[in-house]
């Protein structure tokens, strides 16, 4: 069976005044229908850039490598250049939910008008039909008085409500793939729990594929089926969520888990990962994590081991340098 | 009262609110009738959702927000400072002893000042040091304690990462040799690996410099890890307060229970046992009468649904206080 989305050997580089920055290097991922792929990593690890590449939303100074492929529904998105083609993916086959819902709605246009506008672009329907689809969708995501909210502006809604409206808008065109970029980060825990449950229900109901980006391993544990751990533009470990969280192999994944305060285990000390994430301008050669790796693997430390994912168990892939380091600690 | 550093007695903070110039003036009840005692050398946690009044209370204790009624007393070695009854001179003295660390290390540091100047500014403003040499000495001393290098001092904030900036912020707060620190969401903007580093630093500085913290956070796992005593706030009220381990192991108030169950578990096999709270926190303009949590309470009693039970803490176990509505 072919995958809903297949990203192969993707590099993303930005040309800036200070030089060419490698934001993402050699990433391969797949997402199936009805599957949630979680991407975790610190700020600056290239999570959002990867997601935006799928919609070709990266800025004009971006370059992709020649042999990269992003195959969505049997078409290579990277080869799309015409507005017509891009329209098919942006908001059509793919929808995106952003972290800050206030910034994603236009402030001076009513929420309903924004929902109707995108439906009219992507679906062959009239205004009344679009309105009723929108209102139904607002009801579906648990917004009380959907008719009233439809005629309000984004600032009149609270944070949780805005995020629900954003989800309703993203889903109303029935995309095949949903990109959720830190959708719960700006929310309080009680509202976060509501939104996570809502997203889970909706995925089940509509059987769409989802890429869920977050820095919170707890949220990943709750929603994802598969996880990719990113560090400085590279995937260092990927596999089924249970495997990654319970049996991590890469020192970076282990470090992330040890740094996380766990309310069920208050006696465990919090151990930070030493050092800082290097600037993408001086990205280390060889293993990208070697400048902060707590385990001294002499060859990896010198940057002599190339980045390459190796399957250690069925479906569980780890960077080869990290396998050796992981065994040391 | 020898071992308390801060006593907060029946403190309320109201803000005036007027939607537009013809509408009626209303009051926002941001903080209502709070009583807390912060022991010397403790790590006191204040948790709650946005809009619960944590920051307002923290700022009121520092004298940065006007207290509408009640009083805050700072018990220093030689004398007490009574916050609502301070003259300018006292306030200046108090500010040396009580300092604030902000949430966003990107917004808190001036981009046009070197790190040395940022850290030295409080000393100069408060006229603590007498010579440039003395200032430099203290700046270097505190920077070393916060694990900043000497050569960092000559640079500007833009050269630093989030974690390093937060260490600069901490150094600036500590340079005047305060006894009491309010850390308002000081790790919320940081990545987990850096968050752990800053939390460890705060702990270490606490023993090294004899500090007392009021740690404001919305993240319960963080609070559970670092704090000795925790107060849970909801809509301007403290609904539960107690020693942190006791409170997190044995929560009594329905709101605390719901908050705890909402933390996403790191174990993928334990998916969503969350007690889902319906709706959102009500507006502080018209808080519901009686128990403020009753509009979202998953299992309200008959009496509290009508709002007949007033807010008030009851001691259920030594040191563990719960709002009476949830005890009955």
């Amino acid at each position: 069976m072919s995958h809903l989305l297949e990203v192969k050997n993707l590099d993303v580089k930005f040309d800036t005044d200070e030089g060419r920055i490698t934001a993402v290097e050699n990433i391969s991922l797949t997402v199936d229908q009805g599957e949630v792929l979680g991407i975790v990593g610190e700020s600056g690890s290239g999570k959002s850039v990867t997601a935006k590449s799928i919609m070709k939303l990266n800025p004009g100074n971006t370059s992709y490598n020649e042999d990269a492929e992003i195959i969505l529904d049997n078409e290579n998105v990277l080869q799309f250049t015409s507005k017509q083609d891009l329209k098919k993916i942006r908001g059509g086959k793919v929808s995106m939910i952003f972290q800050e819902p206030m910034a994603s709605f236009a402030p001076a246009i009513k929420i309903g008008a924004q929902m109707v506008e995108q439906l009219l672009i992507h679906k062959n329907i009239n205004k009344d039909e679009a309105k009723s689809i929108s209102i139904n969708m607002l009801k579906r995501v648990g917004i009380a008085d959907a008719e009233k909210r439809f005629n309000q502006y984004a600032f009149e809604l609270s944070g949780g409500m805005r995020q629900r409206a954003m989800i309703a808008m993203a889903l109303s065109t029935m995309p095949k793939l949903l990109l959720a970029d830190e959708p719960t980060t700006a929310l309080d825990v009680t509202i976060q729990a509501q939104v996570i449950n809502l997203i889970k229900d909706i995925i089940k109901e509509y059987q769409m594929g989802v890429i869920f980006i977050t820095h919170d391993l707890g949220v990943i544990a709750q929603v994802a089926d598969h996880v990719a751990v990113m560090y400085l533009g590279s995937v260092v470990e990927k596999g089924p969520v249970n495997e990654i969280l319970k049996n991590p192999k890469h020192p970076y994944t282990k470090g992330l888990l040890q740094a996380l305060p766990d309310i069920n285990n208050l006696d465990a000390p919090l151990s930070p990962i030493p050092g800082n994430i290097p600037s993408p301008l001086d990205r280390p050669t060889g293993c990208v994590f070697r400048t902060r790796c707590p385990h001294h693997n002499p060859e990896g430390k010198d940057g002599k081991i190339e980045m390459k994912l190796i399957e250690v168990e069925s479906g569980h892939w780890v960077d080869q340098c990290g396998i050796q380091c992981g065994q040391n600690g | 009262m020898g071992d308390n550093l801060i006593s907060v007695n029946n403190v309320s903070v109201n803000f005036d609110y007027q939607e537009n110039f013809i509408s009626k003036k209303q009051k926002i009840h941001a903080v209502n009738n709070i009583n807390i005692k912060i022991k010397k050398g403790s790590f006191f946690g204040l948790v709650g959702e946005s809009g619960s009044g944590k920051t307002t209370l923290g700022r009121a204790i520092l004298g940065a927000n006007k207290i509408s009624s009640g009083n805050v007393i700072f018990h220093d070695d030689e004398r007490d400072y009574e916050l609502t009854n301070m003259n300018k001179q006292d306030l200046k003295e108090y500010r040396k002893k009580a300092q604030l660390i902000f949430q966003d290390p990107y917004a808190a540091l001036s981009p046009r000042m070197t790190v040395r100047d940022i850290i030295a500014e409080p000393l100069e403003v408060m006229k603590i040091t007498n010579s440039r040499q003395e200032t430099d000495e203290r700046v270097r001393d505190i920077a070393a304690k916060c694990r900043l290098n000497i050569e960092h001092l000559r640079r500007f904030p833009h050269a630093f990462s989030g974690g390093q900036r937060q260490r600069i912020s901490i150094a600036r707060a500590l340079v005047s040799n305060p006894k009491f620190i309010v850390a308002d969401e000081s790790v919320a903007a940081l990545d987990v690996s850096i968050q752990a580093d800053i939390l460890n630093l705060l702990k270490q500085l606490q023993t090294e410099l004899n500090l007392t913290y009021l740690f404001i956070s919305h993240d319960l796992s963080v609070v559970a890890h670092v704090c000795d005593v925790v107060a849970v706030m909801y809509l301007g009220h403290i609904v539960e307060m107690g020693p942190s381990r006791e409170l997190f192991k044995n929560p009594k108030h329905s709101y605390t229970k719901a908050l705890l169950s909402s933390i996403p578990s790191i174990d993928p096999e334990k998916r969503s046992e969350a007690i889902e709270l319906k709706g959102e926190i009500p507006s502080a303009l018209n808080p519901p009468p009686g128990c403020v949590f009753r509009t979202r309470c998953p299992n309200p009693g008959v009496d509290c649904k009508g709002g007949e039970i007033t807010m008030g803490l009851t001691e259920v176990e030594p040191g563990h206080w719960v709002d009476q509505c949830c005890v009955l």
Side-chain angles (χ1 to χ4, degrees):
Chain A
M1 196 191 84
S2 68
H3 302 288
L4 171 65
L5 172 78
E6 190 164 7
V7 178
K8 280 188 204 160
N9 315 323
L10 176 71
D11 292 356
V12 183
K13 296 198 163 85
F14 297 125
D15 290 316
T16 67
D17 293 343
E18 285 132 89
R20 186 166 251 216
I21 288 177
T22 305
V24 164
E25 190 170 71
N26 198 19
I27 280 198
S28 300
L29 301 165
T30 59
V31 183
D32 289 325
Q33 237 185 357
E35 182 199 35
V36 183
L37 171 73
I39 301 184
V40 265
E42 292 175 274
S43 15
S45 59
K47 313 182 291 282
S48 297
V49 172
T50 308
K52 282 183 186 162
S53 308
I54 297 166
M55 286 168 104
K56 286 196 90 176
L57 276 179
N58 286 317
N61 60 353
T62 314
S63 55
Y64 302 96
N65 53 328
E66 290 284 306
D67 56 337
E69 286 178 38
I70 296 180
I71 305 207
L72 176 74
D73 225 10
N74 303 318
E75 282 180 293
N76 190 351
V77 172
L78 286 177
Q79 276 159 11
F80 287 174
T81 44
S82 72
K83 269 195 167 170
Q84 212 55 38
D85 282 341
L86 286 170
K87 223 185 230 178
K88 272 200 308 201
I89 40 171
R90 294 178 182 163
K93 282 183 183 168
V94 190
S95 278
M96 190 152 179
I97 312 173
F98 297 92
Q99 170 171 357
E100 187 32 77
M102 191 65 216
S104 357
F105 278 112
I109 304 173
K110 285 174 181 167
I111 285 174
Q114 296 183 51
M115 294 185 73
V116 167
E117 182 190 7
Q118 53 128 17
L119 274 169
L120 292 178
I121 292 173
H122 293 292
K123 301 267 167 193
N124 197 7
I125 50 179
N126 65 35
K127 253 188 172 168
D128 287 338
E129 284 166 332
K131 184 176 175 184
S132 82
I133 291 176
S134 302
I135 289 178
N136 282 335
M137 210 62 216
L138 286 173
K139 281 184 187 153
R140 174 65 194 82
V141 298
I143 292 181
D145 324 320
E147 283 89 355
K148 187 178 142 202
R149 301 295 178 198
F150 184 85
N151 285 318
Q152 282 185 326
Y153 297 95
F155 71 86
E156 294 176 273
L157 273 58
S158 66
M161 189 101 74
R162 244 180 257 143
Q163 198 58 286
R164 279 167 195 271
M166 189 70 223
I167 293 172
M169 177 152 127
L171 294 179
S172 61
T173 54
M174 296 287 157
K176 293 189 169 171
L177 180 70
L178 180 68
L179 306 176
D181 189 357
E182 305 259 12
T184 60
T185 307
L187 307 175
D188 280 314
V189 273
T190 60
I191 310 293
Q192 169 172 290
Q194 292 173 2
V195 170
I196 287 178
N197 282 343
L198 171 68
I199 292 179
K200 276 180 1 193
D201 285 350
I202 281 173
I203 298 165
K204 220 184 266 168
E205 195 176 323
Y206 298 111
Q207 280 298 308
M208 54 183 66
V210 180
I211 293 185
F212 199 105
I213 297 173
T214 175
H215 66 278
D216 189 333
L217 286 160
V219 173
I220 283 287
Q222 294 299 310
V223 296
D225 303 309
H226 285 84
V227 186
V229 182
M230 284 189 75
Y231 181 79
L232 209 59
S234 296
V235 171
V236 295
E237 184 162 8
K238 64 177 179 179
V241 64
N242 235 334
E243 266 290 302
I244 300 287
L245 294 180
K246 293 209 165 153
N247 188 16
K249 300 276 190 216
H250 196 279
Y252 180 62
T253 319
K254 287 183 182 174
L256 274 185
L257 283 163
Q258 278 159 6
L260 195 70
D262 182 359
I263 200 152
N264 298 313
N265 186 7
L266 293 180
D267 294 317
L270 296 176
S271 11
I273 300 172
N276 291 302
I277 193 162
S279 153
L281 276 169
D282 49 1
R283 205 165 177 271
T285 51
C287 169
V288 282
F289 187 56
R290 68 188 166 92
T291 55
R292 291 171 78 190
C293 187
H295 306 295
H296 296 275
N297 177 353
E299 287 187 359
K301 208 78 189 160
D302 297 342
K304 286 184 189 146
I305 304 181
E306 287 293 301
M307 295 289 290
K308 190 185 174 200
L309 289 173
I310 289 178
E311 193 167 20
V312 288
E313 258 156 80
S314 149
H316 185 168
W317 298 74
V318 188
D319 179 63
Q320 55 182 5
C321 182
I323 297 176
Q324 295 176 26
C325 300
Q327 281 163 351
N328 298 340
Chain B
M1 286 325 230
D3 52 347
N4 286 332
L5 184 70
I6 301 266
S7 310
V8 176
N9 303 317
N10 305 319
V11 163
S12 299
V13 179
N14 300 326
F15 296 111
D16 287 328
Y17 174 78
Q18 196 174 17
E19 196 167 354
N20 55 47
F21 72 98
I22 40 169
S23 60
K24 218 175 70 192
K25 269 193 186 150
Q26 290 171 290
K27 282 221 180 313
I28 295 176
H29 306 272
V31 165
N32 293 293
N33 203 18
I34 300 279
N35 285 291
I36 50 179
K37 305 238 180 296
I38 303 176
K39 280 212 177 90
K40 274 181 191 147
S42 69
F43 214 122
F44 192 101
L46 203 53
V47 281
E49 292 176 271
S50 22
S52 60
K54 327 182 275 292
T55 298
T56 309
L57 178 59
R59 291 175 60 96
I61 293 174
L62 289 176
N65 269 345
K66 224 177 147 221
I67 297 170
S68 309
S69 66
N71 204 349
V72 175
I73 299 168
F74 178 84
H75 308 278
D76 200 6
D77 293 336
E78 310 91 49
R79 52 165 295 195
D80 287 355
Y81 290 87
E82 205 175 312
L83 233 70
T84 42
N85 191 13
M86 275 202 295
N87 56 33
K88 264 193 167 165
Q89 193 53 42
D90 285 350
L91 192 63
K92 270 188 185 160
E93 281 300 308
Y94 180 61
R95 292 255 154 93
K96 288 179 195 165
K97 294 179 174 167
Q99 283 284 335
L100 177 66
I101 305 171
F102 294 93
Q103 165 169 4
D104 186 350
Y106 290 86
L109 307 176
S110 163
R112 289 163 192 271
M113 289 166 82
T114 62
V115 171
R116 184 256 166 214
D117 291 344
I118 289 171
I119 301 177
E121 198 177 23
L123 295 175
E124 284 154 8
V125 172
M126 297 178 196
K127 300 194 178 71
I128 294 173
T129 49
N130 298 318
S131 65
R132 195 178 161 95
Q133 197 188 351
E134 198 187 342
T135 311
D136 279 341
E137 231 162 76
R138 281 187 69 163
V139 168
R140 256 182 266 140
D141 188 42
I142 197 71
K145 285 202 171 88
C146 297
R147 282 189 266 122
L148 294 162
N149 296 336
I150 302 287
E151 63 260 34
H152 284 163
L153 296 176
R154 271 181 285 128
R155 292 193 214 154
F156 288 90
H158 69 84
F160 296 93
S161 66
Q164 287 170 318
R165 282 175 196 231
Q166 199 57 293
R167 276 190 246 141
I168 298 169
S169 261
I170 292 172
R172 175 177 60 183
L174 296 180
V175 75
S176 63
N177 229 346
K179 295 185 166 167
F180 177 61
I181 295 284
V182 175
D184 190 354
E185 297 275 14
S186 300
V187 295
L190 306 174
D191 278 315
V192 275
S193 64
I194 297 153
Q195 168 179 303
D197 182 45
I198 296 293
L199 290 173
N200 288 343
L201 177 67
L202 288 176
K203 272 271 179 197
Q204 189 195 331
L205 290 169
Q206 180 183 32
T207 36
E208 226 169 277
L209 303 172
N210 268 329
L211 297 171
T212 305
Y213 288 109
L214 176 67
F215 187 82
I216 300 175
S217 177
H218 68 282
D219 188 330
L220 283 99
S221 352
V222 168
V223 167
H225 257 270
V226 295
C227 296
D228 324 310
V229 186
V230 176
V232 182
M233 281 190 82
Y234 184 81
L235 208 55
H237 291 267
I238 288 179
V239 295
E240 186 161 6
M241 175 162 67
S244 95
R245 295 211 169 199
E246 156 77 12
L247 188 134
F248 287 118
K249 213 171 271 168
N250 192 9
K252 299 280 187 207
H253 196 278
S254 332
Y255 180 60
T256 317
K257 287 181 193 166
L259 266 188
L260 280 170
S261 76
S262 302
I263 303 173
S265 162
I266 188 76
D267 186 347
E269 277 158 24
K270 275 193 218 146
R271 284 207 171 173
S272 198
E273 255 102 78
I275 305 168
E276 201 173 300
L277 291 180
K278 297 274 176 266
E280 282 160 39
I281 191 162
S283 154
L285 267 176
N286 321 295
C291 170
V292 284
F293 185 56
R294 67 192 165 85
T295 53
R296 290 173 82 195
C297 192
N299 44 355
V302 184
D303 292 344
C304 62
K305 234 179 161 175
E308 281 144 32
I309 303 176
T310 51
M311 295 293 289
L313 292 173
T314 314
E315 195 166 19
V316 286
E317 256 159 79
H320 188 167
W321 298 76
V322 185
D323 182 63
Q324 55 193 4
C325 182
C326 264
V327 179
L328 296 172

